[in-house]
């Protein structure tokens, strides 16, 4: 990219504003100025901010984009595809495993030729989990049929997003487009940028939304989308798609030329830095290329003819331009932030080698190095090392080691880490003070627990030293629940605050066995663990006690994206507990709205402003959804009512060991994102229960019992007594939002009365 500052005052250059913004901010700015019809989204770091910024703009009335919060990335891709099929303009942003989760849907959209634009804010694909940036997600997208643009700077993110839509909708292309940029490097780092002062300039550039296509938009003109094809037709379809993506390469050049006249910024197919006479060069995607340019200047001062190549588009792959750029280069090192395991080099390395095969006169030695995985920084010293390897190959006439990793550090056996926490198991977690018996007459459990102070001798399951925020209620709530469970536990923590704050390699806060899987599949994963455990034991291959309890820990986010897995596990009836801590948002990624966020509550994706007043729909009743699967025991609990929770923990263990699946939901405080004072944690939970927003009850063998009724104890309070403690709800107490508060109060009352009816009638 070259910013032609001397041309900015020339005729034809539109008026622009200079500022300092990040890549995510500029992606949102472009989307708002284009004013897309639909954005289906699901938060995942580091792309989450794009939807957050758009929501903030929406609250201020700065655009009309309809933001649809999905249940997961697969759902968001479906929303986007369905919207694109109507001819609407569609936008999305994702990263890493979220991209992989939706990837099944993406070839469908490309194969049926519906345009849209998606920002891929690149991040390491787990496992193990690492939320920082590399290109392992991007490389999965090379074969899905989408056009892929790459942006090295926040300025390029803005410009590419505008160009992308025009390319996607071009009559010769008609394909969805990805704009890929580096997570945390480009996405979060602020740089000087320029954007068009008048959004009409952007809208005139992209043009009117095309209508001359077979869209699902007119009932008088019925269409069939995605009809089944046999091989002969599919061959023709894919050939047409192939031709279209190669056409996109030529259309990119046309659009870039037109955009340069409007903006004063040029984007060629390849960004070539001092390549006119280069003998050694680096090929780098995105932000690393910018870091290497200073090193090129330093080498040039020493008489070394060095250069850097970085593509602005990788699908279609610019083979012709690469052959031209490497015509006189003696050695090229390809640095890649991802590997293609077992292929003796990552994807782009092989594509460059393949491109050079068509130039019989080319003698370029191609080396490949994997670097920067998981967000590992790329410094000038790394670029120097790359050039040293290329120069060595040039001088020797061959690459001594064509493929390798840069930056690996061999371990030293004598420095192996010793456990900080003494593992605990068996009798240490058996208090002998909890009694659980099945009442044959009522077919319900009778539970006796001692005074809570007697259970304090029972050690904690999670050690101190975790990284949770001050005032976080997760671990107090979990530990209280665990007090009701006797003996060993095996836990699976889905991705969420509880997981990331207790496991930071090479340390762990867990005293007993813990495993992790992503939050769309935790329940299924633990069900496999349980069944394998039982089968190994049945065959006599392991000798363990019978009282181990298997518990999946999830946040409310995991019970959105992982709902299908949870329901499937419940219907199969595996002997395990699913325990949800509900802090009313996706707190791990920055307090985005979850389906459990109540109506009107503010999150980073349900902002409050003149155009919107928090979340626009009611909270999900996950407890009743899980009860509908007919599992033997379902309950709610709160740390503010400890005896009730400990007793339910004991019941949960009995049912999980003797009958089948159990589900429980705990309301958990989050002072940081609820914008509440730490000292009010217990008070907020009490008032949530006493206002009947979060009633305490259980559904045992299909029969509902309210275990604490604030009306019977003359402790019922208005909903306002609960929400007044939290900054995220203070706007609901204002006169102008009286109608929204009334709607919320009505819903709370409706659910409470329905619950009381079920309590009074066992057949409901």
């Amino acid at each position: 990219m070259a910013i032609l500052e001397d041309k900015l005052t020339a005729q034809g250059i539109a008026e622009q504003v200079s500022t300092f913004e990040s890549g995510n901010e500029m992606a949102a700015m472009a989307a708002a100025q284009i004013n897309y019809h639909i954005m289906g989204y699901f938060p995942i770091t580091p792309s989450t901010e794009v939807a957050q910024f758009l929501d903030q703009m929406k609250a201020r009335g700065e655009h009309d984009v309809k933001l649809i919060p999905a249940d997961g990335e697969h759902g968001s891709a479906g929303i986007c595809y369905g919207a694109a099929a109507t001819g609407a303009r569609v936008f999305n942003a994702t990263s890493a495993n979220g991209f992989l989760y939706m990837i099944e849907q993406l070839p469908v959209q490309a194969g049926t030729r519906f345009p849209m634009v998606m920002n891929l804010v690149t991040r390491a694909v787990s496992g193990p989990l690492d939320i920082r940036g590399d290109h392992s997600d991007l490389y999965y997208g090379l074969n899905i049929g989408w056009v892929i643009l790459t942006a090295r700077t926040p300025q390029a993110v803005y410009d590419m997003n505008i160009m992308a839509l025009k390319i996607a909708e071009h009559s010769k292309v008609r394909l969805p487009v990805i704009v890929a940029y580096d997570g945390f490097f480009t996405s979060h780092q602020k740089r000087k940028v320029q954007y068009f002062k008048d959004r009409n300039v952007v809208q005139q550039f992209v043009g009117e939304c095309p209508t001359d296509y077979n869209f699902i938009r007119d009932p008088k003109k019925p269409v069939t989308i995605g009809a089944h094809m046999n091989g002969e037709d599919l061959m023709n379809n894919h050939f047409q798609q192939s031709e279209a993506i190669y056409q996109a390469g030529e259309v990119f050049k046309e659009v870039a030329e037109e955009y340069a006249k409007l903006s004063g910024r040029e984007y060629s197919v390849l960004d070539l830095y001092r390549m006119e006479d280069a003998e050694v060069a680096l090929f780098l995607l995105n932000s690393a290329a910018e870091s290497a340019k200073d090193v090129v200047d330093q080498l040039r001062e020493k008489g070394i003819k060095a250069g850097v190549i970085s593509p602005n588009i990788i699908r279609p792959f610019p083979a012709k331009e690469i052959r031209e750029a490497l015509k006189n280069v003696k050695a090229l090192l390809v640095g890649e932030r991802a590997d293609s395991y077992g292929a003796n080099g990552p994807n782009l390395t092989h594509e460059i080698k393949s491109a050079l095969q068509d130039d019989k006169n080319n003698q370029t030695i191609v080396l490949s190095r994997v670097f920067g995985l998981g967000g590992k920084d790329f410094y000038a010293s790394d670029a120097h090392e790359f050039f040293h390897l290329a120069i060595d190959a040039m001088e020797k006439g061959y690459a001594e080691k064509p493929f390798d990793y840069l930056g690996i550090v061999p371990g030293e056996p004598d420095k192996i880490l010793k456990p900080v926490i003494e593992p605990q198991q068996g009798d240490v977690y058996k208090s002998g003070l909890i009694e659980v018996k099945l009442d044959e007459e009522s077919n319900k459990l009778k539970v006796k627990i001692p005074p809570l102070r007697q259970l304090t001798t029972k050690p904690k399951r999670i050690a101190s030293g975790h990284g949770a925020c001050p005032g976080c209620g997760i671990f107090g709530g979990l530990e209280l629940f665990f007090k009701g469970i006797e003996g060993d536990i095996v836990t699976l923590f889905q991705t969420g605050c509880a997981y990331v704050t207790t496991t930071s390699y090479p340390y762990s806060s867990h005293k007993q066995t813990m495993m992790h899987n992503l939050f769309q599949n935790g329940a299924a994963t633990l069900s496999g663990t349980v069944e394998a455990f039982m089968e190994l034991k049945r065959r006599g291959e392991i000798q363990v006690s019978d009282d181990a309890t298997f518990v999946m820990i999830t946040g409310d986010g995991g019970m959105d994206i992982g709902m299908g897995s949870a329901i499937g596990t419940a219907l199969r009836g595996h002997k395990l507990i699913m325990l949800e801590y509900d802090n009313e948002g996706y707190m791990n990624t920055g307090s985005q709205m979850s389906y459990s966020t109540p109506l009107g509550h503010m999150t980073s994706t349900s902002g409050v402003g003149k155009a919107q007043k928090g979340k626009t729909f009611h909270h999900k009743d996950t407890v009743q959804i899980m009860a509908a699967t007919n599992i033997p025991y379902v309950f709610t609990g709160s740390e503010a009512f400890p005896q009730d929770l400990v007793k339910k923990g004991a019941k949960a263990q009995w049912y999980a060991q003797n009958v089948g699946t159990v589900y429980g939901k705990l309301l958990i405080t989050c002072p940081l994102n609820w914008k509440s004072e730490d000292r009010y944690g217990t008070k907020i939970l009490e008032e949530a229960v006493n206002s009947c927003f979060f009633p305490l009850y259980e559904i045992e063998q299909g029969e509902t019992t309210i275990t604490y009724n604030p009306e019977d104890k003359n402790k019922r309070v208005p909903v306002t007594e609960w929400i007044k403690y939290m900054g995220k709800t203070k706007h609901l107490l204002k006169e102008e939002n009286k109608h929204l508060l009334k709607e919320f109060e009505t819903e709370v009352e409706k659910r409470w009365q329905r619950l009381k009816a079920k309590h009074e009638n066992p057949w409901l």
Side-chain angles (χ1 to χ4, degrees):
M1 181 195 75
I3 301 178
L4 309 177
E5 295 185 5
D6 59 319
K7 292 185 178 180
L8 291 179
T9 57
Q11 188 174 4
I13 303 296
E15 185 178 3
Q16 298 174 61
V17 176
S18 293
T19 184
F20 285 84
E21 303 288 2
S22 68
N24 282 345
E25 287 170 313
M26 295 313 291
M29 172 67 77
Q33 289 187 325
I34 290 169
N35 204 29
Y36 282 90
H37 294 102
I38 296 290
M39 180 185 186
Y41 72 92
F42 188 82
I44 180 171
T45 305
S47 64
T48 300
E49 286 187 330
V50 178
Q52 289 180 189
F53 291 136
L54 278 168
D55 184 80
Q56 291 169 14
M57 295 179 191
K58 178 88 170 181
R60 296 192 296 263
E62 295 174 8
H63 64 75
D64 297 322
V65 183
K66 176 71 173 180
L67 300 170
I68 304 176
D71 56 298
E73 289 88 358
H74 196 272
S76 78
I79 290 167
C80 290
Y81 177 53
T86 70
R89 281 181 165 161
V90 182
F91 181 75
N92 200 353
T94 193
S95 300
N97 290 77
F99 181 62
L100 267 62
Y101 189 34
M102 67 168 63
I103 208 165
E104 178 202 37
Q105 180 67 66
L106 304 185
V108 176
Q109 183 149 358
T112 49
R113 307 286 297 279
F114 289 107
M116 70 166 279
V117 174
M118 178 163 67
N119 283 258
L120 178 58
V121 187
T122 60
R123 184 189 113 179
V125 169
S126 63
L129 184 68
D130 189 314
I131 66 167
R132 294 170 297 175
D134 63 30
H135 294 156
S136 51
D137 50 3
L138 172 60
Y139 281 18
Y140 279 98
L142 294 175
N143 295 320
I144 59 175
W146 287 48
V147 178
I148 302 177
L149 311 182
T150 54
R152 290 182 302 285
T153 64
Q155 182 67 69
V157 172
Y158 174 74
D159 295 334
M160 292 277 189
N161 266 277
I162 296 171
M163 293 164 58
L165 181 60
K166 194 172 181 72
I167 294 167
E169 293 180 346
H170 195 284
S171 60
K172 293 181 180 179
V173 181
R174 305 291 314 173
L175 288 170
V177 178
I178 287 171
V179 177
Y181 55 97
D182 291 348
F184 289 110
F185 297 108
T186 307
S187 64
H188 284 64
Q189 292 176 0
K190 289 182 181 287
R191 299 275 292 274
K192 184 179 180 181
V193 294
Q194 293 178 315
Y195 64 90
F196 296 109
K197 185 175 182 180
D198 185 354
R199 67 189 290 184
N200 289 321
V201 171
V202 175
Q203 294 178 3
Q204 288 169 11
F205 176 79
V206 297
E208 293 292 327
C209 188
T211 58
D212 54 341
Y213 200 67
N214 292 321
F215 294 121
I216 303 173
R217 63 190 308 162
D218 187 352
K220 297 177 182 177
K221 297 179 181 179
V223 296
T224 297
I225 303 296
H228 170 266
M229 287 184 176
N230 290 320
E232 295 84 354
D233 294 315
L234 192 65
M235 284 286 290
N236 289 335
N237 174 279
H238 284 201
F239 172 73
Q240 292 169 9
Q241 185 179 343
S242 174
E243 289 291 289
I245 203 165
Y246 287 118
Q247 286 285 349
E250 297 304 311
V251 170
F252 173 85
K253 296 175 185 176
E254 297 172 12
V255 172
E257 184 178 356
E258 185 180 346
Y259 191 74
K261 295 175 182 177
L262 182 69
S263 67
R265 293 181 291 277
E266 291 182 348
Y267 293 90
S268 54
V269 171
L270 297 178
D271 179 77
L272 302 176
Y273 188 73
R274 307 194 75 168
M275 284 297 299
E276 59 280 351
D277 63 343
E279 293 181 337
V280 290
L282 304 185
F283 184 98
L284 297 166
L285 280 188
N286 287 352
S287 60
E290 297 298 294
S291 301
K293 289 178 180 178
D294 289 338
V295 176
V296 169
D297 294 339
Q298 295 167 17
L299 293 175
R300 286 278 176 170
E301 290 175 3
K302 297 177 181 179
I304 299 171
K305 295 179 179 179
V308 175
I309 303 172
S310 186
N312 285 317
I313 181 170
I314 58 172
R315 280 295 180 270
F317 191 69
K320 177 183 175 184
E321 289 79 5
I322 286 172
R323 283 193 293 271
E324 183 66 28
L326 296 178
K327 186 172 293 183
N328 300 311
V329 173
K330 296 176 182 178
L332 174 75
L333 189 142
V334 184
E336 305 201 53
R337 289 188 185 268
D339 195 0
S340 178
Y341 301 111
N344 296 299
N347 298 73
L348 297 187
T349 296
H350 291 299
E351 296 194 11
I352 290 169
K353 288 181 176 180
S354 178
L356 295 180
Q357 285 289 309
D358 291 334
D359 182 358
K360 302 306 177 185
N361 297 317
N362 186 279
Q363 299 298 314
T364 304
I365 301 165
V366 179
L367 301 84
S368 179
R369 291 294 183 271
V370 173
F371 77 99
L373 300 186
K376 184 176 171 61
D377 287 319
F378 181 71
Y379 296 109
S381 59
D382 298 317
H384 274 292
E385 176 65 17
F386 278 173
F387 274 115
H388 171 75
L389 292 167
I391 292 168
D392 182 68
M394 176 181 68
E395 292 174 346
K396 290 179 178 177
Y398 67 94
E400 197 165 284
K401 195 167 188 181
F403 167 64
D404 201 359
Y405 275 58
L406 176 79
I408 54 174
V409 181
E412 298 180 39
D414 60 320
K415 293 183 179 179
I416 189 169
L417 287 170
K418 302 295 191 294
V420 176
I421 301 169
E422 187 70 29
Q424 294 178 304
Q425 54 86 33
D427 290 343
V428 72
Y429 286 113
K430 293 179 180 177
S431 69
L433 301 173
I434 298 174
E435 183 180 319
V436 183
K437 290 184 178 179
L438 180 66
D439 185 297
E440 299 292 342
E441 185 176 338
S442 66
N443 199 34
K444 293 183 180 180
L445 296 180
K446 299 292 185 181
V447 179
K448 290 183 179 179
I449 62 171
L452 290 178
R453 64 180 179 275
Q454 291 186 245
L455 292 176
T456 57
T457 58
K458 202 171 183 178
K460 292 183 177 181
R461 310 276 183 169
I462 300 171
S464 57
H466 58 72
C469 301
C472 174
I474 292 175
F475 299 107
L478 292 182
E479 289 288 7
L480 194 59
F481 173 78
F482 287 146
K483 293 295 185 191
I485 293 181
E486 299 277 84
D488 294 326
I489 62 171
V490 174
T491 56
L492 182 144
F493 277 65
Q494 295 194 151
T495 307
C497 291
Y499 159 67
V500 299
T501 59
T502 57
T503 58
S504 181
Y505 184 83
Y507 301 107
S508 172
S509 298
H510 297 271
K511 294 183 180 180
Q512 295 205 288
T513 297
M514 188 284 302
M515 69 181 298
H516 163 256
N517 201 359
L518 304 170
F519 50 13
Q520 59 265 40
N521 213 23
T525 303
L526 190 60
S527 72
T529 301
V530 170
E531 296 306 324
F533 182 90
M534 299 299 184
E535 184 62 14
L536 288 167
K537 186 176 178 182
R538 185 186 69 81
R539 297 186 185 191
E541 295 178 34
I542 57 174
Q543 300 296 324
V544 292
S545 62
D546 292 329
D547 63 355
T549 303
F550 294 82
V551 187
M552 182 193 83
I553 308 296
T554 177
D556 45 308
M559 288 303 289
D560 282 349
I561 190 173
M563 198 77 211
S565 176
I567 289 175
T569 298
L571 291 171
R572 294 190 300 270
H574 302 281
K575 292 181 176 180
L576 57 85
I577 300 169
M578 288 184 270
L579 186 65
E580 174 187 352
Y581 60 88
D582 176 11
N583 45 26
E584 300 181 346
Y586 301 159
M587 303 313 184
N588 178 47
T589 48
S591 185
Q592 294 80 34
M593 184 209 79
S594 88
Y595 286 8
S596 292
T597 304
L599 177 77
H601 287 223
M602 180 177 65
T603 69
S604 63
T605 50
S606 59
V608 175
K610 65 179 182 180
Q612 69 179 32
K613 305 294 182 182
K615 189 177 175 219
T616 58
F617 55 96
H618 288 295
H619 58 289
K620 180 174 69 176
D621 197 338
T622 321
V623 185
Q624 292 296 321
I625 293 172
M626 295 306 297
T629 64
N630 293 314
I631 54 180
Y633 189 55
V634 174
F635 68 90
T636 64
S638 168
E639 184 185 359
F641 296 82
Q643 288 182 300
D644 177 79
L645 181 53
V646 171
K647 187 176 291 188
K648 287 170 178 174
K651 281 190 173 185
Q653 180 179 32
W654 191 93
Y655 277 112
Q657 289 184 345
N658 295 284
V659 185
T661 308
V662 171
Y663 166 80
K665 185 183 187 81
L666 311 182
L667 185 64
I668 295 296
T669 55
C670 181
L672 177 67
N673 293 309
W674 288 6
K675 297 174 175 55
S676 61
E677 295 184 45
D678 296 357
R679 62 193 176 112
Y680 289 136
T682 301
K683 186 65 175 178
I684 293 172
L685 293 180
E686 286 178 349
E687 301 300 56
V689 173
N690 286 328
S691 67
C692 296
F693 163 75
F694 191 84
L696 299 181
Y697 67 100
E698 61 189 9
I699 303 173
E700 188 174 357
Q701 303 288 12
E703 294 187 16
T704 299
T705 302
I706 296 173
T707 58
Y708 170 82
N709 188 330
E711 293 177 339
D712 291 347
K713 298 181 180 297
N714 293 319
K715 290 189 175 182
R716 177 80 188 266
V717 298
V719 167
T720 52
E721 286 299 303
W722 163 51
I723 65 174
K724 73 180 184 181
Y725 289 100
M726 299 177 289
K728 70 167 183 166
T729 50
K730 64 182 181 181
H731 61 284
L732 293 175
L733 301 176
K734 295 181 179 179
E735 184 63 29
E736 64 265 28
N737 296 320
K738 189 175 180 179
H739 65 288
L740 192 59
L741 176 61
K742 180 64 176 176
E743 183 181 350
F744 180 49
E745 289 174 328
T746 300
E747 181 66 20
V748 169
E749 186 62 26
K750 183 196 301 181
R751 296 189 189 191
W752 172 242
Q753 293 300 331
R754 188 182 294 132
L755 185 65
K756 287 202 298 182
K758 291 180 178 182
H759 171 83
E760 293 163 1
N761 189 333
W763 292 106
L764 289 180

